[in-house]
Amino acid sequence: MSEEVEGVGLRVGVVGTGYGGTELVRLLTSHPHVDELHLYSESQAGKGLGEVYAAWRDADLPLLPLEALEETELDVLFLATPHGASRELVTRWIGRPQVIVDLSGDFRFRDGAVYERFYRMPAAPRSLLEEAVYGLAEFAPPELSRARLVANPGCFPTAALLALLPLAKAGLLRPGSAIVDAKTGVSGAGRSPSLATHFSEVNENVRPYNVFVHRHGAEIEVYLGAGPVSFVPHLVPMTRGILVTAYGELVEPMTTEDLFELYRHTYAGRPFVRLLRPGTYPETKAVQGSNFVDIGLIATADGRKAVVMAAIDNLVKGAAGQAVQNMNLRFGLPETAGLVGRPLYP
Amino acid sequence: MSEEVEGVGLRVGVVGTGYGGTELVRLLTSHPHVDELHLYSESQAGKGLGEVYAAWRDADLPLLPLEALEETELDVLFLATPHGASRELVTRWIGRPQVIVDLSGDFRFRDGAVYERFYRMPAAPRSLLEEAVYGLAEFAPPELSRARLVANPGCFPTAALLALLPLAKAGLLRPGSAIVDAKTGVSGAGRSPSLATHFSEVNENVRPYNVFVHRHGAEIEVYLGAGPVSFVPHLVPMTRGILVTAYGELVEPMTTEDLFELYRHTYAGRPFVRLLRPGTYPETKAVQGSNFVDIGLIATADGRKAVVMAAIDNLVKGAAGQAVQNMNLRFGLPETAGLVGRPLYP
Amino acid sequence: MSEEVEGVGLRVGVVGTGYGGTELVRLLTSHPHVDELHLYSESQAGKGLGEVYAAWRDADLPLLPLEALEETELDVLFLATPHGASRELVTRWIGRPQVIVDLSGDFRFRDGAVYERFYRMPAAPRSLLEEAVYGLAEFAPPELSRARLVANPGCFPTAALLALLPLAKAGLLRPGSAIVDAKTGVSGAGRSPSLATHFSEVNENVRPYNVFVHRHGAEIEVYLGAGPVSFVPHLVPMTRGILVTAYGELVEPMTTEDLFELYRHTYAGRPFVRLLRPGTYPETKAVQGSNFVDIGLIATADGRKAVVMAAIDNLVKGAAGQAVQNMNLRFGLPETAGLVGRPLYP
Amino acid sequence: MSEEVEGVGLRVGVVGTGYGGTELVRLLTSHPHVDELHLYSESQAGKGLGEVYAAWRDADLPLLPLEALEETELDVLFLATPHGASRELVTRWIGRPQVIVDLSGDFRFRDGAVYERFYRMPAAPRSLLEEAVYGLAEFAPPELSRARLVANPGCFPTAALLALLPLAKAGLLRPGSAIVDAKTGVSGAGRSPSLATHFSEVNENVRPYNVFVHRHGAEIEVYLGAGPVSFVPHLVPMTRGILVTAYGELVEPMTTEDLFELYRHTYAGRPFVRLLRPGTYPETKAVQGSNFVDIGLIATADGRKAVVMAAIDNLVKGAAGQAVQNMNLRFGLPETAGLVGRPLYP
């Protein structure tokens, strides 16, 4: 019952051994159209992936130094590298693989000034920023299919935009009214230890952080296109998952049923969007390990406000899964290739 | 360095052995003005508390049947009983102890019709509903000091009202604009097992529930007095703690500093309110096991919206602690008597 | 890079919608040799699996009544049913599908009297008990390949036996000396809510339970064949995973290196056993969602005792995964077919 | 109902702002015989404790530099400092306060060579090692009452020794037979972030670590006095709590009832030891935040082995609480002074 298509065999590289990079490896090693997979790491080169992650202890996956990129022909290069590092790698390697899919924030802003304000680092060259295609897969432009550079969206923006874009694109979201209250698991902070991700500090704790100043708030604003967004992320004591609860004022009164129909129409045929019937709501555990986004919605009794909730696995649909989805779309493969694994539940 | 005051010695009863009732026992057994403590339980009568909770296995605390209420003179009777049960107990025992503090929802609504809509159960007699004093301690009316019946607020309303009432009372919150996005630990659901509180379902999961239809939403609306409130509670994988993130539109533009001054003034001298300096935000772990409410706030850049965050321990400030605080206020004791225990951290 | 083999297409049925049954569905829906998959449930018949588990909300997987077993030709029938129920189903359906793989304890004891002592329920007919093949896959007898009935091992016995059998089979484990100290996630208790699995009771808690009287202790003893075993299971606050720490006295002194060589030899070529080099130890997260068993070991300085640690995912190698592995072995398929999914980490 | 005794008022200092030091502050601020409390920190001097821990944000507790120790007369000085640092502080300040209670490992070994082997650091001067009194409170020698230096036991040794010493002291534990399988929460690792305590790595994970080479194994061996001990600690995903499951061979056959009587006699009158009736077992949550140790036990059917389980809060009975208990014993105060707070449950 597995999916298989004839003929396409991609040569793929992944740079980075953080959670995002390793999640890419998990997905790509069972992808039916990946023929070669090469891993690269600056800090861990020379080791095998199994020395970095016990989960991979049986695997024969050497981590090559970055210079080895010189030697191999690649169709796709995924960069699961920190911002700054991605900028340098893209600047150097753009055009060599058919496409680079970058998971950092370096190419998400067409306007380098916005980037520099939020990332406090020099932006990438303007020509690259303009060339990059923002890979929110369900709303990706036709250019994705021939892109040399894909900016994979942030985890919060993926959930927030999938929750609100149907309203915004229909002109139904009052500008400036959007509130995005997000709850995230800790893996979104990566694998580098810090007090903020120290078990004893995070466990049995919920806390807001970077209120109004999180980089992803700017990214949401730019791509939602409906004025300022009040973005408040919260850290919750779990490893994976993001739940976004988005609130917005409607330009004209709508019922919950109206909302449902709008979303149903918008996401018709999109294999990873699971739209929930009115009265049911998404939860992160139901998408754990999968590329699904579960969306639930409700309007206030007077029809003037909408609440839209979206749940994703931050490392899959919010990072590596969507990156693979973008690769599939880029090469004309079935959108779900390599992404058919079911959620792990419980 | 412990606190002690001369002269008052109260005879106290507690009905109920759920998490709220047991938390009352924890607080009352170290309360300097409690001379006698009697526990009552319908379902567990005849046992000792140590047979119901391993944490109390050393304690000599018999659980008496409800009829035993007949035999003892009490100054205070706490009801940590389900709604419905509280209504019956109050109806029967009102006036016998000097004051009954009820932790259920039975006496929180002056308007029985609202109660009946949300609790789907007959309301208490109108005279009792009108007599009951709503014990949100920081905003309690003078009548509290001679009340025969105190309705202890719900856990979510405690956090939400402490977050928003300063704005609402000052006429600065635009009616109908309030959004309360709440995140709660699982102990708020009590000790009765259910699929919704089953470990394997809750762990590694965040989910909204009872969106717009939670009873506490109605309670918040009634006591906030600023029109409809959009209340969305979420269950997060921790045992104790509520974090409320409240959003509201301001009637006139305010800066974060303006907000801070308003709250500082409102809560001046209130021992359990810890107002955080702009740029810092509350977290549930910092109040764990204590009666504190930590409040942080911020205004949007244009000064038109405020976000106020409040963190409490749902079983303490959200239930048993506030009940003890109400007892203290009722009898003219120091407000902090029996409530000086520090948060348990980490 | 996915695995595919030509020619075999199995018709498979699964009875039961608990965690074990649903995990079977997760594995079987991506199994390359499963052509048909039919689900059966007594309590949930008429619904779809997506109504029982939000994780499956997109799936078209109807739950058929048990009587529907009459109508379909099946090659394999998995019973993820409670003990007692399995006995009845096997008694009725044995011989109709080519093989029944039962995940309950009903057919694990050849001696019905042992079963009855520990399960307090009548044992299955003796002929069936004698016919059943105990499916500890790495040690399965040749008869497995033609079995009509496979008794899939319990989760604790799987981990404990894989940890200790190499020693016991080599005659190196002193009879009566084995101690199995096991730590399990909560999903092993199934999906039925109880106080023992209530989030607020389990979270931030470690506790031993059923000390010396757990059914799996008897199962370990029978199949280890090295005298009485002191089995102490502990519940830890996580969903998936079992870690067994097994202690035993050695008949003759051995070094850690000796142990390592013995285990390396015993498990040579077994695809799911990952033997760790001396000085490294298994952890449950490294096998999460996978069929791996990770084994680490050490001898005491005097060579007289061994400690062997084994980590599995209780729902995969400890239940559904091993059941699929048994199906693969039964039909001569590659042992890893349908089980190549990587651990979900973190 | 709080406890109070007349007349003694101690001047107390605490060095260190890790979890242990802060837990000391929590206990000492409500201790009825502490008149003055001064906090010292090398790294955080100049701040207030509320800047280091949000839980203390309301408190007026300045952190003084170590030199300030010069200026104040203290009766007791607690050192919640890393090993090495404690050695230096004791060497410098011994004799100035009436007693120093050191929570590090620096003075737990009378034999400096053992210390140096396990701590890989020079041992303290021999005279100090010989002067130090090992403060396992329930077994403390008479010298404790006039000690100038108390070595507070490690968290694992506290639980393991309380579990096994009654047997060992009675000569009933076969030398060399003891196995200590311990499960600990993460707070035992302190507040310094590391990959091993990173939330995403620890959550949903159980893993053994430092098998046979943990420093606390040596400490257990020395004070148990029954030959080599096989000590295997495990990290479990919770913040507080240690559960020790200790196995040992009995010199002569005993029943569970015999064991119970032995322990009952040994611990008669000890206020923090809660001995559980046969058939019930300890759990960490039942002691959370308290100084209790809960002990359960069972003998094998043949009476040749015993299993004794002990649960403590590692930061209380395993560190700060026992340190306060030692202070109480040192000054002839009631053993429970300042330690009457009930467990926080759930």
Side-chain angles (χ1 to χ4, degrees):
Chain A
M1 297 178 92
S2 76
E3 170 198 25
E4 196 89 353
V5 179
E6 293 294 305
V8 185
L10 297 173
R11 297 161 300 178
V12 178
V14 173
V15 185
T17 58
Y19 292 146
T22 311
E23 192 71 355
L24 276 165
V25 180
R26 180 175 76 87
L27 297 171
L28 293 167
T29 48
S30 65
H31 193 291
H33 298 286
V34 171
D35 271 5
E36 297 178 20
L37 180 62
H38 306 279
L39 311 188
Y40 305 88
S41 168
E42 188 162 303
S43 60
Q44 310 283 344
K47 295 184 186 169
L49 188 61
E51 292 169 82
V52 184
Y53 285 94
W56 290 91
R57 50 171 53 114
D58 58 307
D60 180 24
L61 289 166
L63 297 168
L64 308 171
L66 293 182
E67 308 86 67
L69 281 166
E70 195 67 60
E71 298 152 26
T72 318
E73 291 283 307
L74 294 176
D75 299 302
V76 195
L77 179 62
F78 291 98
L79 301 181
T81 37
H83 56 269
S86 281
R87 186 192 59 211
E88 290 181 23
L89 285 163
V90 166
T91 307
R92 170 143 184 223
W93 297 102
I94 181 86
R96 286 283 294 273
Q98 292 189 58
V99 64
I100 296 178
V101 181
D102 177 35
L103 280 72
S104 87
D106 280 350
F107 296 92
R108 294 182 192 149
F109 294 93
R110 195 160 286 251
D111 179 350
V114 176
Y115 176 88
E116 295 186 348
R117 177 148 24 99
F118 281 89
Y119 286 77
R120 300 175 184 282
M121 200 175 268
R126 187 170 158 179
S127 62
L128 288 177
L129 294 180
E130 290 182 348
E131 178 176 357
V133 174
Y134 187 71
L136 182 66
E138 279 71 18
F139 292 92
E143 295 80 44
L144 177 60
S145 64
R146 53 182 185 276
R148 294 198 308 165
L149 177 56
V150 176
N152 211 57
C155 51
F156 287 123
T158 295
L161 293 170
L162 292 172
L164 288 177
L165 266 179
L167 278 174
K169 289 206 172 281
L172 291 164
L173 181 64
R174 189 178 304 280
S177 74
I179 291 169
V180 173
D181 188 293
K183 299 88 180 164
T184 184
V186 185
S187 63
R191 207 189 191 198
S192 297
S194 70
L195 191 59
T197 57
H198 191 55
F199 184 89
S200 300
E201 304 281 319
V202 171
N203 189 36
E204 285 289 291
N205 201 4
V206 174
R207 67 175 183 85
Y209 68 102
N210 286 354
V211 180
F212 289 180
V213 298
H214 195 287
R215 292 157 178 161
H216 287 182
E219 187 179 335
I220 294 168
E221 272 183 18
V222 165
Y223 290 98
L224 186 60
V229 172
S230 299
F231 176 55
V232 183
H234 301 75
L235 194 67
V236 300
M238 62 183 192
T239 303
R240 285 178 179 241
I242 285 178
L243 182 88
V244 151
T245 313
Y247 304 84
E249 292 174 35
L250 299 168
V251 165
E252 55 189 55
M254 297 177 78
T255 64
T256 300
E257 203 55 46
D258 293 338
L259 289 171
F260 182 74
E261 286 306 315
L262 170 67
Y263 279 68
R264 198 158 66 97
H265 183 258
T266 306
Y267 289 124
R270 303 312 306 240
F272 295 116
V273 182
R274 302 195 296 191
L275 184 61
L276 280 64
R277 293 214 201 93
T280 55
Y281 301 101
E283 52 190 299
T284 60
K285 202 179 188 82
V287 300
Q288 182 178 247
S290 82
N291 201 49
F292 288 122
V293 53
D294 282 5
I295 298 180
L297 35 70
I298 188 170
T300 51
D302 63 6
R304 297 174 60 176
K305 285 188 206 166
V307 186
V308 188
M309 289 143 279
I312 61 170
D313 183 319
N314 57 306
L315 294 179
V316 188
K317 182 61 181 168
Q322 184 156 251
V324 171
Q325 189 181 359
N326 279 320
M327 176 185 84
N328 291 344
L329 295 173
R330 168 65 176 74
F331 288 96
L333 301 172
E335 192 169 352
T336 59
L339 297 169
V340 296
R342 300 296 315 176
L344 193 71
Y345 193 97
Chain B
M1 297 177 90
S2 75
E3 170 199 23
E4 196 91 350
V5 179
E6 293 294 306
V8 184
L10 297 172
R11 296 160 302 178
V12 178
V14 173
V15 185
T17 59
Y19 293 146
T22 311
E23 191 72 355
L24 276 166
V25 179
R26 180 176 75 88
L27 297 171
L28 293 167
T29 49
S30 65
H31 194 292
H33 298 286
V34 171
D35 272 6
E36 296 177 19
L37 181 61
H38 306 279
L39 312 188
Y40 305 88
S41 169
E42 188 162 301
S43 59
Q44 310 283 345
K47 295 185 185 169
L49 188 61
E51 291 169 82
V52 184
Y53 285 94
W56 290 91
R57 51 172 50 116
D58 59 306
D60 181 24
L61 288 167
L63 297 168
L64 308 172
L66 293 182
E67 309 86 67
L69 282 166
E70 194 68 59
E71 298 153 26
T72 318
E73 290 283 308
L74 294 176
D75 298 302
V76 195
L77 180 62
F78 291 98
L79 300 181
T81 37
H83 56 269
S86 281
R87 186 192 60 212
E88 290 180 22
L89 285 163
V90 167
T91 307
R92 170 146 183 220
W93 297 102
I94 182 87
R96 285 283 293 274
Q98 294 189 59
V99 64
I100 297 178
V101 181
D102 177 35
L103 280 74
S104 89
D106 279 351
F107 296 91
R108 293 182 193 150
F109 295 92
R110 196 160 286 250
D111 180 348
V114 176
Y115 176 88
E116 296 186 348
R117 178 148 22 101
F118 281 88
Y119 286 77
R120 299 174 185 281
M121 201 174 268
R126 186 169 159 182
S127 63
L128 289 177
L129 294 180
E130 290 182 348
E131 177 176 356
V133 174
Y134 188 71
L136 183 67
E138 280 70 18
F139 292 92
E143 295 80 44
L144 176 60
S145 65
R146 52 182 187 278
R148 293 199 308 166
L149 177 56
V150 176
N152 212 57
C155 52
F156 287 122
T158 295
L161 293 169
L162 292 172
L164 288 177
L165 265 179
L167 279 174
K169 287 206 172 282
L172 291 164
L173 181 63
R174 189 177 305 279
S177 75
I179 290 169
V180 173
D181 187 295
K183 298 89 180 164
T184 184
V186 185
S187 62
R191 207 189 191 199
S192 295
S194 70
L195 191 60
T197 57
H198 191 54
F199 184 89
S200 300
E201 304 281 319
V202 172
N203 189 36
E204 285 288 292
N205 202 3
V206 174
R207 67 176 183 85
Y209 67 103
N210 286 355
V211 180
F212 289 179
V213 298
H214 195 287
R215 292 158 179 161
H216 286 183
E219 187 179 334
I220 294 168
E221 273 184 18
V222 165
Y223 289 99
L224 185 60
V229 172
S230 299
F231 177 55
V232 183
H234 300 75
L235 193 68
V236 300
M238 62 183 192
T239 303
R240 285 179 179 240
I242 285 177
L243 183 88
V244 151
T245 312
Y247 304 84
E249 292 174 34
L250 298 168
V251 165
E252 56 189 55
M254 296 178 77
T255 64
T256 300
E257 203 53 48
D258 293 338
L259 288 171
F260 182 73
E261 286 307 314
L262 170 67
Y263 278 69
R264 197 159 66 97
H265 182 259
T266 307
Y267 289 124
R270 301 315 304 243
F272 295 116
V273 182
R274 302 195 296 192
L275 183 61
L276 280 64
R277 293 215 200 94
T280 54
Y281 301 102
E283 53 190 299
T284 60
K285 201 180 187 82
V287 300
Q288 181 177 249
S290 81
N291 202 49
F292 288 122
V293 54
D294 283 6
I295 298 179
L297 34 70
I298 188 170
T300 50
D302 64 5
R304 296 174 61 176
K305 284 188 206 165
V307 185
V308 188
M309 288 143 280
I312 61 170
D313 183 318
N314 57 308
L315 293 179
V316 189
K317 182 61 181 169
Q322 183 156 250
V324 171
Q325 189 181 359
N326 279 321
M327 177 185 83
N328 291 344
L329 295 173
R330 168 64 177 75
F331 288 96
L333 300 172
E335 191 169 352
T336 59
L339 296 169
V340 296
R342 300 297 313 177
L344 193 70
Y345 194 97
Chain C
M1 300 175 89
S2 75
E3 169 198 24
E4 196 91 352
V5 179
E6 293 295 305
V8 183
L10 298 172
R11 296 160 300 177
V12 178
V14 173
V15 185
T17 59
Y19 292 145
T22 311
E23 192 72 355
L24 276 166
V25 179
R26 179 175 77 86
L27 297 171
L28 294 168
T29 49
S30 65
H31 193 292
H33 298 286
V34 171
D35 272 4
E36 296 177 22
L37 181 61
H38 306 279
L39 312 187
Y40 306 87
S41 168
E42 187 162 301
S43 59
Q44 309 284 344
K47 295 185 186 170
L49 188 62
E51 292 169 80
V52 184
Y53 286 95
W56 290 90
R57 50 171 52 115
D58 59 306
D60 181 24
L61 288 167
L63 298 167
L64 308 172
L66 294 181
E67 307 87 68
L69 282 165
E70 194 69 60
E71 298 153 27
T72 319
E73 291 282 308
L74 295 176
D75 298 302
V76 194
L77 179 62
F78 292 98
L79 300 182
T81 37
H83 55 270
S86 281
R87 187 193 58 212
E88 290 181 22
L89 285 163
V90 167
T91 307
R92 170 144 183 219
W93 297 102
I94 182 85
R96 285 284 292 273
Q98 293 189 57
V99 64
I100 296 178
V101 180
D102 177 35
L103 280 73
S104 87
D106 279 351
F107 296 91
R108 293 182 193 149
F109 294 93
R110 196 161 285 251
D111 178 349
V114 177
Y115 176 88
E116 296 187 348
R117 177 149 23 101
F118 282 90
Y119 286 77
R120 298 174 186 283
M121 201 174 268
R126 186 169 158 181
S127 62
L128 289 176
L129 293 181
E130 290 182 349
E131 177 175 357
V133 174
Y134 187 71
L136 182 67
E138 280 70 17
F139 292 91
E143 296 78 44
L144 175 61
S145 64
R146 54 182 186 276
R148 292 198 309 163
L149 176 57
V150 176
N152 212 57
C155 50
F156 287 122
T158 295
L161 293 170
L162 291 172
L164 289 177
L165 266 179
L167 278 174
K169 288 204 173 282
L172 291 163
L173 180 64
R174 189 178 302 279
S177 75
I179 291 169
V180 174
D181 188 293
K183 299 89 179 165
T184 183
V186 186
S187 63
R191 207 189 190 197
S192 297
S194 70
L195 191 59
T197 57
H198 191 54
F199 184 89
S200 300
E201 304 281 319
V202 172
N203 190 36
E204 286 289 291
N205 202 4
V206 173
R207 67 176 184 84
Y209 67 103
N210 285 356
V211 180
F212 289 179
V213 298
H214 195 288
R215 292 158 178 161
H216 287 183
E219 188 179 334
I220 294 168
E221 273 183 16
V222 166
Y223 290 98
L224 185 59
V229 173
S230 299
F231 177 54
V232 184
H234 300 76
L235 193 68
V236 300
M238 63 183 192
T239 303
R240 283 178 181 241
I242 284 177
L243 183 88
V244 152
T245 312
Y247 305 83
E249 292 174 35
L250 299 168
V251 165
E252 56 189 56
M254 296 177 77
T255 64
T256 300
E257 202 55 46
D258 294 337
L259 289 171
F260 183 74
E261 286 308 314
L262 170 67
Y263 279 68
R264 198 158 68 96
H265 182 259
T266 307
Y267 289 125
R270 302 313 305 239
F272 296 116
V273 181
R274 302 194 296 192
L275 183 62
L276 280 63
R277 292 215 200 92
T280 55
Y281 301 101
E283 51 190 300
T284 61
K285 202 180 187 82
V287 299
Q288 181 177 248
S290 82
N291 201 49
F292 288 122
V293 54
D294 283 5
I295 297 179
L297 35 69
I298 188 169
T300 51
D302 63 5
R304 299 174 59 176
K305 285 188 207 168
V307 185
V308 188
M309 288 143 280
I312 61 170
D313 183 319
N314 57 307
L315 294 178
V316 189
K317 182 62 180 168
Q322 183 156 252
V324 171
Q325 188 181 358
N326 280 320
M327 177 186 83
N328 291 343
L329 295 173
R330 168 65 177 74
F331 289 95
L333 300 172
E335 191 169 352
T336 59
L339 296 169
V340 295
R342 300 295 315 176
L344 193 71
Y345 194 97
Chain D
M1 299 177 88
S2 75
E3 169 198 26
E4 196 92 351
V5 179
E6 293 294 305
V8 183
L10 298 172
R11 297 161 300 178
V12 178
V14 173
V15 185
T17 59
Y19 293 146
T22 311
E23 192 71 354
L24 275 166
V25 180
R26 180 175 77 86
L27 297 171
L28 293 167
T29 49
S30 65
H31 193 292
H33 298 287
V34 171
D35 272 4
E36 297 177 20
L37 181 61
H38 306 279
L39 311 188
Y40 305 87
S41 169
E42 187 162 302
S43 59
Q44 310 283 344
K47 296 184 185 169
L49 188 62
E51 292 169 82
V52 184
Y53 286 94
W56 290 91
R57 50 171 52 115
D58 59 305
D60 180 25
L61 287 167
L63 296 168
L64 307 172
L66 293 182
E67 309 85 67
L69 281 166
E70 194 68 60
E71 298 153 27
T72 318
E73 291 283 307
L74 295 176
D75 298 302
V76 195
L77 180 62
F78 291 99
L79 301 181
T81 36
H83 56 268
S86 281
R87 186 192 60 211
E88 291 180 22
L89 284 163
V90 167
T91 307
R92 171 146 181 221
W93 297 102
I94 181 86
R96 285 284 292 274
Q98 293 189 57
V99 65
I100 296 178
V101 181
D102 177 35
L103 280 73
S104 87
D106 279 350
F107 297 92
R108 293 183 193 149
F109 294 92
R110 195 160 287 250
D111 179 349
V114 177
Y115 176 89
E116 296 186 348
R117 177 148 23 103
F118 281 89
Y119 286 76
R120 299 174 184 283
M121 200 175 269
R126 185 170 161 180
S127 63
L128 289 177
L129 294 181
E130 290 181 349
E131 177 175 357
V133 175
Y134 187 70
L136 182 66
E138 280 71 16
F139 292 91
E143 296 79 44
L144 175 61
S145 65
R146 52 183 188 275
R148 293 198 309 166
L149 177 56
V150 176
N152 212 57
C155 51
F156 287 122
T158 296
L161 293 169
L162 291 172
L164 289 177
L165 266 179
L167 278 175
K169 288 205 173 281
L172 292 163
L173 181 64
R174 189 178 304 277
S177 75
I179 291 169
V180 173
D181 187 294
K183 298 89 180 165
T184 184
V186 185
S187 63
R191 207 189 191 199
S192 297
S194 70
L195 190 59
T197 57
H198 191 54
F199 184 89
S200 300
E201 304 281 319
V202 172
N203 190 37
E204 286 288 291
N205 202 3
V206 173
R207 66 176 184 85
Y209 67 103
N210 286 355
V211 180
F212 288 0
V213 297
H214 196 289
R215 292 157 179 163
H216 287 182
E219 187 179 335
I220 294 167
E221 272 184 17
V222 166
Y223 290 97
L224 186 59
V229 172
S230 299
F231 176 54
V232 184
H234 300 75
L235 193 68
V236 299
M238 63 182 192
T239 303
R240 284 177 180 242
I242 284 177
L243 182 88
V244 151
T245 312
Y247 304 83
E249 291 174 36
L250 298 169
V251 165
E252 56 189 56
M254 296 177 76
T255 65
T256 300
E257 203 55 45
D258 293 337
L259 289 171
F260 183 74
E261 285 308 314
L262 170 67
Y263 280 68
R264 198 158 67 96
H265 182 259
T266 307
Y267 289 125
R270 301 315 303 242
F272 295 116
V273 182
R274 302 194 297 192
L275 184 61
L276 279 65
R277 292 215 201 93
T280 55
Y281 301 101
E283 52 189 300
T284 60
K285 202 179 187 81
V287 300
Q288 181 177 248
S290 82
N291 202 49
F292 288 122
V293 54
D294 282 6
I295 298 179
L297 34 71
I298 188 170
T300 51
D302 62 6
R304 298 174 60 176
K305 285 188 207 166
V307 186
V308 188
M309 289 144 280
I312 61 170
D313 183 318
N314 58 306
L315 295 178
V316 189
K317 183 61 181 168
Q322 184 156 252
V324 171
Q325 188 181 358
N326 278 321
M327 176 185 84
N328 292 343
L329 295 173
R330 168 65 177 75
F331 288 96
L333 300 172
E335 190 169 352
T336 60
L339 297 169
V340 294
R342 301 295 315 175
L344 193 71
Y345 193 96

